[in-house]
Amino acid sequence: MATLVSTLRGALRYRGKEGQAAWAGHRLAGLGTLLFFVLHVVDTSTVYFLPEHYETFIFIYRSLPFQVGEILLVVSVIYHALNGFRIILLDWRPEWWQYQRGFTLGTFALTALLSAPAVVIMGGHAIENLGLFR
Amino acid sequence: MATQARTRPTGINRFETLAWQYMRWSGVLLVPLVLGHLAIMHIINSVYLIDIDFVAARWSLLGWRIYDAGLLWFAGLHGLNGLRYVIDDYFPNPDLRRGLKVVALIVFAFIFVLGSVALIGGVRQP
């Protein structure tokens, strides 16, 4: 545990700039997606094991905190996918490492660009159905 | 010896090589699989439209069950291996590391069984 704490403290002190941010983002997005994956398999499997409880899960997912989580999930997956492609691309063409900063910033920009419509549409569903801002 | 020949390391860890390659190939495959799933289920449709009848209608097509089985297994194994890397990074104590990996393996074995049985068994209307 002490090692985990010192690792995390080191991560905060280490000034790796955008490269470190890309790495940390990839890890966080992966772990977050994994957490939802486990929950999502459990909720979907209730259609067979406990069919009367499926709607309980859906009811929980329709709440505001889970709506925020769902939007974060989609952004996480988009980032994890794009950053994964960046890693594959730079492994495939090591000479492109001279442009690594551009690739990383491009990944961030592309994530924002592709996430924007998803966030707007999903946010719209949530706002409409939760009756927010009325 | 001025020049060093590029030598293959002895005792290559075959499992780690396969795990690394699996992350690459499954990652590429998961991009259309996961983004397709998210687009259809979470963006075009939404959790406000989905209920058990929706799942029943979707799973009446075998193709969607195979699609979901692909998601379950490819994403699950990709995530489990990723979790293994994370455990290796943050827990230097070998006993704790081993214990955490065993726990992760048990949890994921349970998840794979749960998901697979539900996919084969299908929707049981309440």
Side-chain angles (χ1 to χ4, degrees):
Chain A
M1 203 53 179
T3 330
L4 183 62
V5 171
S6 69
T7 306
L8 293 176
R9 193 174 293 153
L12 289 175
R13 268 202 214 115
Y14 183 68
R15 289 193 272 179
K17 296 183 193 163
E18 66 284 333
Q20 189 193 8
W23 175 87
H26 197 77
R27 179 153 284 197
L28 273 173
L31 285 173
T33 305
L34 190 64
L35 185 67
F36 179 70
F37 168 85
V38 170
L39 184 66
H40 194 26
V41 174
V42 172
D43 80 61
T44 304
S45 69
T46 60
V47 301
Y48 176 76
F49 293 101
L50 298 160
E52 63 277 16
H53 289 298
Y54 182 72
E55 314 261 316
T56 312
F57 275 100
I58 292 295
F59 178 77
I60 294 166
Y61 287 154
R62 286 173 182 166
S63 67
L64 183 61
F66 277 85
Q67 282 302 294
V68 174
E70 195 184 346
I71 292 171
L72 277 175
L73 169 79
V74 171
V75 176
S76 298
V77 170
I78 291 172
Y79 173 69
H80 198 85
L82 290 171
N83 194 54
F85 267 134
R86 179 184 67 86
I87 295 165
I88 291 173
L89 208 62
L90 290 178
D91 274 354
W92 177 56
R93 286 274 184 269
E95 62 271 23
W96 291 350
W97 259 98
Q98 58 179 313
Y99 310 115
Q100 58 85 17
R101 187 156 190 266
F103 273 104
T104 303
L105 297 179
T107 303
F108 294 160
L110 211 53
T111 301
L113 197 70
L114 293 181
S115 297
V119 172
V120 169
I121 295 168
M122 292 177 79
H125 289 153
I127 289 166
E128 195 189 318
N129 288 285
L130 289 169
L132 301 174
F133 311 120
R134 269 199 197 141
Chain B
M1 286 280 260
T3 54
Q4 275 188 324
R6 204 172 157 171
T7 52
R8 269 174 160 269
T10 51
I12 294 170
N13 192 331
R14 188 91 187 112
F15 175 74
E16 288 301 339
T17 308
L18 286 174
W20 187 90
Q21 286 169 344
Y22 174 77
M23 293 309 261
R24 288 293 156 102
W25 290 109
S26 64
V28 172
L29 181 71
L30 282 165
V31 171
L33 224 49
V34 175
L35 291 180
H37 171 81
L38 288 175
I40 295 166
M41 302 301 288
H42 297 251
I43 298 171
I44 298 168
N45 288 291
S46 80
V47 79
Y48 298 103
L49 297 171
I50 293 167
D51 55 17
I52 198 160
D53 296 328
F54 188 102
V55 182
R58 216 169 82 88
W59 281 6
S60 67
L61 280 168
L62 180 65
W64 282 119
R65 290 203 206 196
I66 295 169
Y67 187 105
D68 287 357
L71 274 177
L72 172 69
W73 283 91
F74 283 110
L77 289 173
H78 187 98
L80 178 60
N81 193 45
L83 184 60
R84 193 174 64 90
Y85 294 152
V86 173
I87 292 170
D88 276 339
D89 276 356
Y90 298 124
F91 300 94
N93 180 333
D95 292 329
L96 180 59
R97 207 161 57 207
R98 187 160 197 87
L100 288 170
K101 285 181 194 173
V102 169
V103 170
L105 203 59
I106 291 169
V107 169
F108 275 81
F110 176 71
I111 288 297
F112 286 128
V113 170
L114 212 60
S116 299
V117 171
L119 276 167
I120 293 165
V123 177
R124 292 193 302 161
Q125 292 292 348

